[in-house]
């Protein structure tokens, strides 16, 4: 889901909002000893972010994450 700018968020009770910080959307998966760090468009990002890869290598097998870095 991509963010879109709005002047005033229309929030239902029990919902929250957060600011969008500039960064890269990344998808991480660890499965059967293989690690993948890709952009939302599928570009391999591991070589550009070795410090993130170092952290990913510590994750347990069968892990999937979606976030912004």
């Amino acid at each position: 889901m991509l963010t879109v700018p709005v002047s005033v968020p229309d929030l239902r009770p029990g919902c929250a909002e957060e600011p969008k910080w500039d960064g890269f959307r990344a998808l991480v998966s660890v499965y059967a000893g293989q690690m993948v760090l890709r952009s939302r468009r599928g570009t391999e990002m591991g070589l550009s972010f070795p410090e993130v890869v170092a952290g990913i290598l510590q994750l347990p097998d069968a892990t999937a994450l979606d976030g912004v870095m």
Side-chain angles (χ1 to χ4, degrees), residues 7-23:
S7 58
V8 176
D10 181 23
L11 298 174
R12 295 183 301 259
C15 293
E17 56 93 16
E18 63 182 50
K20 188 220 179 280
W21 304 105
D22 285 339

Side-chain angles (χ1 to χ4, degrees), residues 21-55:
W21 304 105
D22 285 339
F24 295 99
R25 175 98 180 255
L27 307 169
V28 170
S29 66
V30 180
Y31 186 74
Q34 300 288 343
M35 180 280 308
V36 177
L37 174 63
R38 296 193 189 280
S39 72
R40 66 181 177 88
R41 295 183 185 215
T43 303
E44 174 58 43
M45 299 173 68
L47 293 175
S48 298
F49 297 96
E51 67 282 2
V52 175
V53 170

Side-chain angles (χ1 to χ4, degrees), residues 28-30 35 52-65:
V28 170
S29 66
V30 180
M35 180 280 308
V52 175
V53 170
I56 293 169
L57 294 174
Q58 298 176 40
L59 295 172
D61 195 38
T63 298
L65 302 172

